């Protein structure tokens, strides 16, 4: 049963789209909620900026009396006469409004007197018909914040020229005709009916208490807060104007939401396509690799992780192609190397069976040489396979490598004499952490290779050099020499410089390749160079073992 899968491009598309929509929905929702909750307070804060004169007057009143209750009581007691039963309560409620009216009149007077005293008169002032006599009349009748009830007498019912100070109760407060006249300044913003005064602990003192949210401004005297002036918001989120305003805002937010959705849809689609195309190419490339098409290359020109992945995939294809070629060459070379001695051995046995060759000791010795060659070939193949798989067993111990080399030179003396080669050896003793049998195997391969590829009458020079950290032995021989191309290929499996000569001397083409792998397993390095003697130089280097 085929399981339904969601493609990665579709997942990316949905993730980007839904994430953008979620963020937009939350952001616009929070914005709308914050506007509804804080817009009225914001308007009140703006209105509070117009109360600077009132706050200055209140601070000066507090400076004189040092307490809001004392200030209100002292200013009410300035009124002459005998108060009625509820006169004190009415005046206490009216006190803050009266202070606002006084501040408004003072500001009005200051603004217009400044205009009258300026070099050029404002056209707006001329239209209002204000002249010097009227300005003087205003100046004489401006009340003081220290005497807000000047002109009133107790009981309040005895006052004439009613001044409507409170829509519900305070409709009979007047000024005495013989004293300052009460000049009404219109309160176009309606601030007086929404003011309230609080002490330093935010406890209500006078004014219009409100259970709704109130905007506060601190009243300071000599840098110390002594109270707060509160203002009830003029807007209510449930009134008709507010509902209409927020309805318009909802429409604008919906348009923003729709536009954001459209842009997110396009951006998510482009982003998904941007990632989908290279992923499909990578998928196609991996499918080609599984089919064995190692020459297939993925073309993605991008400077990101997908571009890096395509480069790695192409490099993997190159490595797999190289390994496949090497595997095929390995099989072909191994088959060829096994086939030759087996064919010779088969021909000799068939000749004996047919009576062409007699089973003499010489013929048996020739057959034994073929069997020995097969045995050595299979052993070298097994060792090389273990070395390449990093499974070659090594038993390390402290060894004097130069003593081992001298011993092997003595063992090769008959072959040196047979090939008429001059051998010189000079080296230094040291102690290295090596597997003595594996080290002998390396030296046997190197010396044997020099014997096979050095012409009769030539020379072989074996010598060492060492530093505080490394010990190196050189095996130099005289021609035959090698070309640069041959030198590069030296050490590869089944590679022979002179194929016919190597077969005649019993070489399999695995000795140097096996020596390279064994050296690496022992922690050393084997390299090949042109020899100063004109032939090949084998350079074998091992790190010195430092005792702790």
């Amino acid at each position: 049963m085929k399981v339904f899968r969601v493609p990665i491009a579709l997942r990316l598309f949905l993730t980007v789209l839904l994430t953008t929509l979620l963020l937009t929905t939350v952001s616009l929702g929070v914005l709308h909620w914050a506007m509804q909750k804080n817009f009225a307070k914001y308007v009140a804060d703006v209105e509070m900026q117009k109360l600077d004169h009132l706050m200055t007057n209140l601070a000066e009143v507090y400076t004189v009396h040092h307490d809001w209750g004392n200030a209100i009581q002292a200013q009410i007691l300035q009124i002459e006469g005998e108060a009625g039963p509820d006169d004190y309560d009415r005046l206490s409620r009216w006190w803050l409004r009266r202070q606002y009216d006084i501040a408004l009149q003072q500001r009005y007077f200051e603004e217009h007197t400044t205009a009258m005293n300026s070099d050029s008169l404002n056209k707006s002032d001329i239209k209002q018909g204000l002249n010097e006599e009227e300005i003087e009349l205003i100046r004489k009748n401006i009340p003081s914040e220290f005497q807000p009830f000047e002109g009133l007498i107790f009981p309040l019912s005895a006052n004439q020229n009613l001044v409507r100070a409170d829509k519900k109760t305070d409709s009979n407060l007047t000024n005495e005709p013989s004293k300052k006249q009460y000049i009404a300044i219109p309160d176009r913003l309606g601030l007086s009916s929404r003011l309230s005064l609080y002490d330093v602990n935010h406890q209500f003192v006078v004014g219009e208490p409100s259970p709704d949210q109130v905007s506060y401004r601190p009243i300071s005297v000599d840098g110390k807060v002594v109270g707060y002036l509160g203002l009830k918001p003029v807007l209510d989120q449930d009134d008709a104007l507010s509902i209409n305003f927020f309805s318009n805002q909802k429409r604008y937010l919906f348009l923003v939401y729709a536009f954001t959705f459209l842009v997110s849809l396009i951006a998510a689609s482009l982003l998904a396509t941007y990632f989908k195309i290279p992923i499909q190419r990578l998928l196609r490339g991996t499918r080609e690799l599984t089919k064995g098409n190692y020459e297939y290359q993925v073309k993605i020109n991008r400077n990101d992780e997908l571009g890096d992945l395509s480069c790695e995939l192409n490099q993997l294809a190159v490595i797999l192609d190289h390994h496949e070629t090497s595997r095929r060459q390995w099989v072909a070379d191994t088959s060829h190397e096994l086939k030759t001695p087996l064919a010779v051995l088969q021909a000799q046995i068939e000749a004996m069976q047919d009576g062409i060759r007699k089973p003499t000791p010489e013929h048996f010795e020739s057959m034994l040489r073929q069997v020995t060659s097969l045995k050595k070939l299979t052993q070298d193949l097994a060792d090389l396979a273990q070395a390449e798989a990093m499974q070659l067993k090594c038993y390390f111990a402290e060894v004097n490598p130069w003593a081992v080399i001298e011993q092997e030179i003595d063992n090769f003396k008959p072959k040196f004499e047979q090939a008429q080669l001059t051998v010189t050896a000079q080296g230094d003793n040291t102690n290295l952490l090596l597997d003595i049998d594996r080290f002998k195997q390396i030296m046997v391969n190197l010396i044997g290779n020099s014997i096979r590829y050095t012409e009769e009458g030539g020379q072989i020079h074996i010598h060492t050099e060492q530093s505080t950290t490394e010990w190196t032995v050189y095996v130099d021989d005289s021609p035959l020499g090698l070309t640069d191309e041959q030198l590069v290929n030296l050490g590869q499996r089944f590679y022979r410089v002179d194929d016919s000569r190597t077969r005649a001397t019993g070489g399999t083409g695995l000795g140097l390749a096996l020596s390279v792998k064994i050296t690496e397993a022992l922690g050393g390095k084997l390299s090949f160079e042109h020899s100063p003697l004109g032939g090949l130089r084998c350079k074998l280097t091992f790190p010195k073992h430092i005792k702790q």
Side-chain angles (χ1 to χ4, degrees), residues 107-231:
R107 195 177 92 179
Y108 184 83
F109 173 74
E110 291 174 0
E111 291 175 352
H112 286 81
T113 52
T114 302
M116 290 293 294
N117 294 329
S118 62
D119 295 336
S120 59
L121 195 62
N122 259 335
K123 292 183 179 180
S124 60
D125 296 331
I126 295 175
K127 288 182 180 179
Q128 292 177 0
L130 296 175
N131 51 42
E132 293 184 4
E133 293 181 0
E134 291 173 330
I135 295 297
E136 182 65 19
L137 177 63
I138 294 176
R139 185 187 65 79
K140 291 180 179 180
N141 288 281
I142 289 180
S144 169
E145 64 271 19
F146 299 104
Q147 293 179 315
F149 303 118
E150 184 179 1
L152 291 179
I153 60 173
F154 284 131
L156 296 180
S157 58
N159 293 275
Q160 299 177 355
N161 299 326
L162 298 179
V163 177
R164 186 179 181 82
D166 191 314
K167 293 182 180 179
K168 294 182 179 179
T169 59
D170 303 323
S171 60
N172 53 357
L173 304 179
T174 76
N175 291 19
E176 222 177 36
S178 61
K179 297 186 179 181
K180 291 184 178 180
Q181 299 180 15
Y182 183 89
I183 301 176
I185 301 295
D187 182 14
R188 297 184 178 90
L189 298 177
L191 299 180
S192 60
S193 62
R194 296 186 281 119
L195 289 173
S196 53
L197 180 65
Y198 299 84
D199 64 12
V200 70
N201 297 319
H202 286 276
Q203 297 296 320
F204 176 77
V205 179
V206 293
E208 297 294 334
S210 173
D212 300 329
Q213 187 178 21
V214 177
S215 179
Y216 296 97
R217 281 193 68 184
I219 303 172
S220 300
V221 175
D222 297 330
K224 181 180 179 182
V225 177
V226 296
Y228 296 90
L229 183 63
L231 182 64

Side-chain angles (χ1 to χ4, degrees), residues 462-515:
I462 303 175
H463 63 285
T464 66
E465 68 178 24
Q466 60 180 324
S467 65
T468 56
T469 58
E470 291 182 337
W471 180 88
T472 303
V473 59
Y474 297 93
V475 180
D476 290 314
D477 57 42
S478 58
L480 297 173
L482 286 83
T483 65
D484 291 338
E485 181 180 357
Q486 290 173 333
L487 201 62
V488 171
N489 293 323
L490 206 63
Q492 296 182 6
R493 295 186 299 256
F494 298 112
Y495 179 76
R496 299 185 181 90
V497 175
D498 186 345
D499 189 69
S500 60
R501 180 174 181 177
T502 304
R503 291 186 186 281
T505 56
T508 63
L510 294 177
L512 292 183
L514 182 57
S515 297

